[in-house]
Amino acid sequence: KIAGDGSGDFYVSGRFTTYGNQLASRFVKLNKDGNIINSMKPHFNNHVEVILPIAGGKVYAGGSFTSVNNVTTNRIVRLNAN
């Protein structure tokens, strides 16, 4: 899945664990040049199916995961973009 944030950056999710030789656990935020924004690299324990950026630099993610950054969550999470 791919979702733009309105500033030229975008979020990408899928069944990957690396992106460009960097650890990227199923979710990354990329700048307009396709480079990872390192301040936004959450660790999901399973797939992200839905990405919804919202105003204020936040993003909702939903999917089959049960933890993000080793914190238990039930298939939906709100993340800060930084």
Side-chain angles (χ1 to χ4, degrees), residues 29-58:
K29 184 176 184 183
L30 304 174
N31 65 21
K32 63 184 176 186
D33 298 322
N35 297 313
I36 291 179
I37 297 174
N38 283 313
S39 62
M40 179 61 160
K41 287 181 21 181
H43 175 80
F44 287 85
N45 73 329
N46 213 332
H47 308 296
V48 176
E49 305 295 335
V50 177
I51 306 168
L52 178 63
I54 60 171
K58 308 236 186 283

Side-chain angles (χ1 to χ4, degrees), residues 4-43:
D5 71 355
S7 74
D9 297 337
F10 51 100
Y11 303 95
V12 179
S13 69
R15 297 176 185 254
F16 55 86
T17 56
T18 60
Y19 178 87
N21 295 323
Q22 292 187 50
L23 180 63
S25 184
R26 300 174 182 89
F27 187 94
V28 291
K29 184 176 184 183
L30 304 174
N31 65 21
K32 63 184 176 186
D33 298 322
N35 297 313
I36 291 179
I37 297 174
N38 283 313
S39 62
M40 179 61 160
K41 287 181 21 181
H43 175 80

